[in-house]
């Protein structure tokens, strides 16, 4: 049965489906992220609430709060794709069988799906509880989606790194924070503009920044992941 | 004719040298028994051969005839079963086999997987999650996962652990069949497995 | 493997170009006056003082002046409650953070940048 | 080599405080900070560039010596970053009335502190030297790749009171006479000091590496 290695897109799909099946049976990652986000959101609602913030400040402050909530919530679950493999000692089995790039892509796809689910729950809930009514709804959700895309790509590579180190839980946000900071700032800024700006003139630049962050981190991750996976 | 050529591989944990200048060659039809006391580096040697550990010196070549298997193709040619390499607990026995088969072959291997499950007396349990299988069943399933793609090279680290008499028979059949396909490296200290060996490589502490 | 690397490097270059292209424009946090006057949100504007427009009333401690956008295309009235910055008239640039309230830009914070150069100050040493 | 560098730096200190005049537009003598603050920031950037270089080299060679060189550069870069941060915030207190006012440059330097502090924490969390070297090299490179975003994003979000860098937007050097001479001498002195310290610590680490201790 000697044959060349499989096309890695179909391999990535196999890994994605395998992880999706595990995740659907346990739902650990998505539950922990959603619950963490909802808890922080509840805390924000109790302590600040929708009416303490003067209307003029609302777009900027609420956009920043939303990014902070999503950042910390994602840090509770996105590392699971790799940490679980190391802890269950399945990582070596997978390493021997799969192409590293396909592993990265498959795990990334699962994390993207997880974060899409989390965003779909958390952002509307945030808007309702904090009385946050963005002026340009479509742009607002589009920017959120792009921001989460970049966050997930960069976090997935960091997750691979921390899965091989000790003290994983604390290490994840420590390593991810400086990498994600420019993205989080740019997203929060674009969100606040989508919330209150009179026109959409800012969108071109916001899209450019977010798309190029995602693109660069994706391709860099594709190259660098192999070094981590085999480390 | 497949060959595994280990050429001058050394390894050290920090300052403590574990393996020094290991050299051997194993070819189709051979089962090379790697023996040595606990801590002599049997598992480490197999991990070095498989490329799971970075080799600081020396090299390992996998040859099909005179052609060396490129590193990227190795995962379709090599199978390995070791104590610290687990299957996915929450997936069923069959799902595990299909997953690893698909990764390594790129296609569907349902027929072969079902047949293998039958040979290992695991067919009735194929839809149970691995978590719920006994340790012996799990060991047999790991062996199946290592050969689901009919590899040209096979590495076995303590393959008989947790196996009963019937399980050992199954293992013997597997090794017998595999050695016609390519060389087998078998690391063990279990006398029940010594019979498989056609040659021996002894590691000293 | 080498091919994937080349492919990925090409991807990085393409997206870096995209990023650079979208950053080419404004490298400032400041909002054009025209936009500030249409949005109720807190924004930052920057400009220079239009000469002889600043007036300070001691009673309600309010500073009123007109700000001219850096490119000179727009002016906007600004009000500020608080102590008038000491070097206000010599400022090379004034930054105001606040929001448009319908009639004037109400600044919560004023930042005044004065000229500074690493030139020998010679006789005019200031202490 | 060592005595020359020390004498040179001594001369720079004397020149910075006694020979060079204060610059206009600054409160009191505060402009003299430029002789120490800017070279420290320059050396920090240089050190991080060096660590990036050795990280890439390591991933190609897997030579632990290259990893060691990257780690030493980060540790020393962090030291000079702290010097630049502290001297900068003293200047901020004198000029703007607060030690910390979230100037874009202050924000940028905190990012460097965060990245390289995280880098060192990562190194402490991995026992196996080869694995540690791989993980930290990948992290350093990944951080390096995302840094330009920060450089571009920050000035769009915050306003700056920071004096123009001495080569301003127009591309001409806005520094004159004795100030420029002292400044350049200090830049050279700091760079030489860093080269000395870097080589010394690399020698120490090489000895530890040979003894089989930590890298």
């Amino acid at each position: 049965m000697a044959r060349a290695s499989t096309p890695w897109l179909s391999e990535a799909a196999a890994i994605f489906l395998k992880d999706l099946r595990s995740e659907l049976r346990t739902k650990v990652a998505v539950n922990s992220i959603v619950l963490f986000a909802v808890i922080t959101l509840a805390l924000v609602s109790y302590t600040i609430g929708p009416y303490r913030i003067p209307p003029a400040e609302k777009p900027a402050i609420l956009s920043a709060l939303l990014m902070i909530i999503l950042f910390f919530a994602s840090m509770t679950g996105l590392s699971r794709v790799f940490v679980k493999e190391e802890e269950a000692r399945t990582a070596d089995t997978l390493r021997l069988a799969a192409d590293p790039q396909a592993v990265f892509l498959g795990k990334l796809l699962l994390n993207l799906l997880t974060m899409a689910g989390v965003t779909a729950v958390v952002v509307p809930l945030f808007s309702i509880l904090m009385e946050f009514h963005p002026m340009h709804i479509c742009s607002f959700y589009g920017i959120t989606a792009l921001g989460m895309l970049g966050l997930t790509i960069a976090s997935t590579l960091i997750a691979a790194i921390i899965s091989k180190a000790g003290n994983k839980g604390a290490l994840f946000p420590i390593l991810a924070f400086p990498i994600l900071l420019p993205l989080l700032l740019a997203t929060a800024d674009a969100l606040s503009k989508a919330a209150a700006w009179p026109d959409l003139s800012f969108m071109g630049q916001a899209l450019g920044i977010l798309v190029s962050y995602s693109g660069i981190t994706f391709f860099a991750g594709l190259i660098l992941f192999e070094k981590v996976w085999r480390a | 004719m497949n060959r595994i050529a280990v050429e001058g591989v050394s390894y050290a944990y920090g300052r403590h040298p574990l393996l020094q200048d290991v050299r051997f060659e194993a070819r189709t039809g051979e089962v090379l028994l790697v023996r040595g006391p606990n801590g002599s580096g049997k598992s480490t040697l197999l991990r070095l051969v498989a490329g799971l550990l970075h080799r600081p010196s020396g090299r390992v070549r996998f040859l099909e005839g005179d052609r060396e298997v490129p590193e990227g193709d190795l995962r379709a040619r090599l199978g390995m079963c070791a104590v610290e390499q687990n299957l996915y607990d929450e997936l069923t026995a069959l799902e595990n086999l299909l997953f690893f088969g698909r990764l390594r072959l790129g296609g569907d291997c349902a027929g072969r997987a079902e047949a293998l499950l039958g040979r290992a007396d695991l067919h009735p349990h194929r839809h149970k999650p691995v978590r719920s299988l006994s340790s012996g069943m799990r060991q047999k399933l790991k062996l199946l996962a290592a050969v689901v793609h009919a590899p040209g090279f096979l590495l076995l680290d303590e393959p008989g652990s947790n196996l009963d008499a019937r399980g050992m028979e199954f293992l013997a059949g597997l090794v017998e069949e595999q050695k016609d396909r390519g060389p087998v490296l078998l690391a063990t200290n279990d006398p029940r497995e010594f019979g498989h060996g056609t040659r021996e490589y002894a590691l000293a502490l | 493997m080498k091919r994937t690397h080349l492919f990925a490097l090409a991807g990085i270059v393409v997206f870096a170009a995209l990023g650079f292209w979208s950053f080419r424009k404004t490298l400032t946090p400041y909002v054009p006056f025209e936009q500030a006057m249409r949005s109720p949100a807190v924004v930052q504007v920057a400009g220079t003082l239009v000469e002889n427009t600043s007036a300070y009333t001691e009673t309600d401690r309010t500073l009123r002046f007109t700000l001219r956008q850096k490119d000179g295309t727009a002016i906007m009235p600004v009000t500020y409650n608080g102590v008038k910055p000491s070097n206000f008239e010599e400022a090379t640039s004034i930054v105001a953070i606040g929001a448009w309230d319908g009639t004037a830009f109400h600044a919560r914070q004023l930042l005044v940048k004065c000229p500074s150069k690493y030139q020998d100050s010679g006789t005019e040493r200031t202490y | 080599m060592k005595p020359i560098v020390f004498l040179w730096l001594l001369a720079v200190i004397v020149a910075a405080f006694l020979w060079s005049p204060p610059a206009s537009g600054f409160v009191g003598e505060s402009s003299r900070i430029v002789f120490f603050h800017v070279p420290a920031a320059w050396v920090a950037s240089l050190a991080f560039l060096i660590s990036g270089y050795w990280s890439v080299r390591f991933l190609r060679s897997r030579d632990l010596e290259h990893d060691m060189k990257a780690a030493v550069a980060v540790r020393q870069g962090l030291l000079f970053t702290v010097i630049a941060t502290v001297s900068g915030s003293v200047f901020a207190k004198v000029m703007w009335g607060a030690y910390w006012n979230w100037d874009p440059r202050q924000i940028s330097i905190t990012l460097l502190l965060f990245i390289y502090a995280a880098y060192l924490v990562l190194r402490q969390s991995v026992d196996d030297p080869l694995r540690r070297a791989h993980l930290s090299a990948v992290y350093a490179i990944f951080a390096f790749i995302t840094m330009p975003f920060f450089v571009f994003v920050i000035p769009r979000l915050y306003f700056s009171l920071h004096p123009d860098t001495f080569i301003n937007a127009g591309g001409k050097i806005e520094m004159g006479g004795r100030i420029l001479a002292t400044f350049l001498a200090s830049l050279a002195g700091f760079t030489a000091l860093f080269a000395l310290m870097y080589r010394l610590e690399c020698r120490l680490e090489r000895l530890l590496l040979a003894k089989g201790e930590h890298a």
Side-chain angles (χ1 to χ4, degrees):
Chain A
M1 282 207 200
R3 41 166 304 286
S5 50
T6 45
W8 55 277
L9 275 179
S10 100
E11 252 186 275
I15 293 165
F16 165 68
L17 289 173
K18 185 272 291 179
D19 279 340
L20 180 63
R21 200 172 267 160
S22 300
E23 176 62 22
L24 287 177
R25 281 175 199 174
T26 58
K27 299 191 189 66
V28 173
V30 73
N31 280 349
S32 64
I33 300 181
V34 168
L35 271 177
F36 194 92
V38 170
I39 289 170
T40 356
L41 176 53
L43 194 61
V44 168
S45 309
Y46 291 141
T47 52
I48 300 174
Y51 309 113
R52 296 245 177 105
I53 306 172
E57 307 274 13
K58 247 185 163 181
I61 292 183
L62 290 183
S63 304
L65 278 175
L66 182 61
M67 279 301 111
I68 293 171
I69 291 174
L70 286 172
F71 167 71
F72 279 108
S74 65
M75 289 298 111
T76 63
L78 290 187
S79 62
R80 191 176 152 75
V81 282
F82 292 112
V83 171
K84 188 184 153 287
E85 299 269 3
E86 299 290 340
E87 282 177 356
R89 295 180 162 227
T90 49
D92 275 346
T93 326
L94 186 62
R95 227 183 314 274
L96 281 172
D99 177 79
Q101 262 112 29
V103 174
F104 180 66
L105 205 59
K107 302 282 183 188
L108 175 60
L109 283 174
L110 186 80
N111 271 348
L112 284 173
L113 188 67
T114 308
M115 277 315 281
V118 170
T119 312
V121 173
V122 172
V123 179
L125 201 61
F126 182 84
S127 303
I128 294 168
L129 290 180
M130 301 304 287
E131 301 248 336
F132 190 26
H133 307 299
M135 204 177 286
H136 312 287
I137 282 281
C138 290
S139 316
F140 185 85
Y141 278 91
I143 290 166
T144 313
L146 276 178
M148 289 305 105
L149 174 72
L151 177 139
T152 311
I153 295 173
S155 307
T156 302
L157 185 71
I158 305 290
I161 294 178
I162 63 126
S163 73
K164 303 220 157 211
N167 190 21
K168 300 174 174 48
L171 206 53
F172 195 21
I174 291 175
L175 294 191
F177 173 70
I179 306 264
L180 292 178
L181 192 56
L183 175 82
L184 294 175
L185 290 176
T187 314
D189 179 53
L191 283 183
S192 72
K193 286 175 178 162
W197 215 239
D199 54 46
L200 285 172
S201 57
F202 67 93
M203 274 298 273
Q205 193 171 45
L207 289 181
I209 298 170
L210 299 182
V211 170
S212 96
Y213 183 93
S214 301
I216 289 179
T217 47
F218 174 72
F219 285 111
L222 214 51
I223 298 176
L224 292 173
F225 175 73
E226 189 178 349
K227 302 290 183 186
V228 179
W229 183 235
R230 294 202 186 283
Chain B
M1 172 70 77
N2 290 357
R3 284 180 296 152
I4 299 177
V6 176
E7 297 165 357
V9 169
S10 302
Y11 195 78
Y13 276 115
R15 266 197 290 178
H16 311 288
L18 185 65
L19 298 168
Q20 272 173 330
D21 197 29
V22 175
R23 290 171 189 280
F24 58 75
E25 197 181 289
R27 52 185 63 216
T28 305
E30 282 186 327
V31 178
L32 186 72
L33 215 54
V34 180
R35 288 181 59 184
N38 288 339
S40 59
K42 295 187 299 295
S43 299
T44 305
L45 177 58
L46 258 59
R47 288 169 61 76
L48 282 167
V49 171
L52 287 171
L53 282 177
H54 170 62
R55 297 183 281 265
S57 63
R59 61 176 184 160
V60 175
R61 290 189 300 155
F62 293 87
L63 297 146
E64 286 174 338
D66 288 329
R67 199 184 78 95
E68 188 168 342
V69 179
E71 209 187 302
D73 291 349
L74 200 58
R75 61 212 172 82
R77 312 284 210 286
L78 177 74
M80 181 170 184
C81 173
V83 181
E84 71 279 11
Q85 291 170 24
N86 290 347
L87 300 176
Y88 293 101
D89 260 354
E90 63 286 344
L91 300 187
T92 68
L94 185 61
E95 281 168 353
N96 266 293
L97 288 191
L98 292 180
F99 173 64
F100 287 109
R102 182 165 167 207
L103 284 186
R104 294 180 128 142
L105 297 172
D108 194 42
C109 56
R112 184 171 157 80
E114 297 262 357
L116 283 171
L117 284 165
R119 272 178 59 189
D121 304 326
L122 287 172
H123 205 258
H125 307 288
R126 66 192 185 281
H127 294 308
K128 288 184 187 164
V130 169
R131 182 190 300 118
S132 68
L133 300 181
S134 75
S135 51
M137 290 176 179
R138 243 180 285 176
Q139 179 64 20
K140 283 192 281 187
L141 191 64
K142 276 166 71 171
L143 287 165
L144 295 187
V147 299
V148 67
H149 54 305
F153 308 89
L154 185 63
L155 311 180
L156 300 174
D157 187 7
E158 318 235 356
S161 38
N162 295 318
L163 291 188
D164 58 12
R166 201 165 149 66
M168 291 307 277
E169 263 172 53
F170 157 75
L171 172 63
L174 206 72
V175 171
E176 220 27 62
E177 180 196 309
Q178 178 65 33
K179 76 180 182 195
D180 296 332
R181 218 180 280 135
V184 179
L185 300 193
L186 201 162
T188 187
N189 275 328
D190 186 343
R192 293 184 300 168
E193 293 165 24
F194 290 169
H196 306 312
T198 57
R199 252 188 334 132
E200 207 176 285
Y201 184 86
L203 290 168
L205 198 58
Chain C
M1 205 188 76
K2 277 272 171 276
R3 258 206 359 249
T4 4
H5 281 197
L6 278 180
F7 167 71
L9 282 176
I12 292 180
V13 171
V14 168
F15 281 98
L18 171 72
F20 190 76
W21 174 79
S22 46
F23 276 122
R24 220 180 16 157
K25 296 169 247 167
T26 54
L27 253 174
T28 60
Y30 311 115
V31 164
F33 289 5
E34 175 231 356
Q35 257 168 349
M37 290 159 83
R38 283 163 56 200
S39 161
V42 173
V43 292
Q44 297 176 22
V45 294
T48 51
L49 181 65
V50 178
E51 268 176 66
N52 304 323
T53 55
S54 72
Y56 189 68
T57 21
E58 287 289 345
T59 44
D60 55 353
R61 301 212 305 164
T62 303
L63 176 66
R64 292 185 178 79
F65 59 95
T66 309
L67 201 61
R68 176 185 284 118
Q69 195 157 299
K70 279 274 166 68
D71 57 9
T73 55
I75 56 168
M76 177 170 70
V78 179
T79 61
Y80 173 71
N81 289 86
V83 182
K84 181 181 176 182
S86 58
N87 40 9
F88 188 68
E89 261 81 19
E90 299 104 72
T92 49
S93 129
I94 297 168
V95 173
I97 303 164
W100 181 256
D101 66 2
T103 54
F105 187 81
H106 189 82
R108 287 132 200 251
Q109 210 184 340
L110 274 188
L111 292 137
V112 181
K113 188 161 176 173
C114 288
S116 61
K117 281 194 177 111
Y118 297 100
Q119 297 290 359
D120 297 7
S121 55
T123 49
E124 39 168 343
R125 285 174 79 144
T126 43
Y127 285 93
Chain D
M1 189 65 195
K2 230 180 283 180
I4 300 174
V5 174
F6 288 150
L7 282 178
W8 180 276
L9 280 172
L10 203 65
V12 167
I13 292 170
V14 172
F17 286 104
L18 300 174
W19 183 64
S20 158
S24 68
F26 290 87
V27 175
E29 307 272 339
S30 67
S31 69
R32 295 185 195 282
I33 201 101
V34 77
F35 303 126
F36 308 101
H37 173 72
V38 178
W42 148 253
V43 168
S45 324
L46 185 67
F48 293 138
L49 213 61
I50 289 173
S51 89
Y53 169 77
W54 285 114
S55 298
V56 174
R57 281 285 300 271
F58 168 79
L59 286 184
R60 293 176 159 272
S61 71
R62 298 195 196 224
D63 182 347
L64 282 177
E65 163 123 4
H66 295 166
D67 169 62
M68 175 275 281
K69 284 183 172 165
V72 170
V74 167
R75 281 204 289 267
Q76 301 208 343
L78 217 44
L79 176 71
F80 281 96
T81 311
V82 171
I83 293 174
T85 313
V86 171
S87 60
S89 69
V90 169
F91 175 77
K93 175 69 180 172
V94 175
M95 272 301 274
W96 310 322
Y99 286 109
W100 203 262
N101 63 346
W102 295 107
D103 189 85
R105 273 163 213 278
Q106 290 181 323
I107 295 173
S108 304
I109 213 154
T110 54
L111 182 84
L112 282 183
L113 287 171
F114 277 127
I115 289 178
Y116 291 104
Y119 176 94
L120 293 181
V121 173
L122 173 63
R123 291 186 71 86
Q124 280 167 359
S125 320
V126 191
D127 288 331
D128 179 64
L130 204 61
R131 176 179 278 196
R132 172 172 55 222
H134 274 99
L135 298 185
S136 47
V138 167
Y139 184 69
I141 293 169
F142 200 51
F144 215 86
I145 287 172
T146 55
M147 238 184 263
F149 284 95
F150 204 75
V151 175
F152 282 113
V153 167
I154 288 300
R156 299 182 49 259
L157 302 180
Y158 304 91
F159 44 84
S160 181
L161 294 167
H162 194 283
D164 286 340
T165 41
F166 78 103
I167 298 175
N168 69 2
K172 47 182 200 243
I173 297 176
E174 289 254 2
M175 210 182 243
R178 291 180 174 191
I179 298 183
L180 183 65
T182 314
F183 176 76
L184 292 178
S186 174
L187 213 54
F190 265 72
T191 313
L193 178 68
F194 168 64
L196 272 185
M197 287 168 59
Y198 184 65
R199 278 174 43 195
L200 195 67
E201 197 177 343
C202 280
R203 253 173 64 197
L204 175 70
E205 289 290 336
R206 206 168 290 133
L207 289 173
L208 291 172
L209 212 61
K211 267 181 70 188
E213 313 259 318
H214 68 96

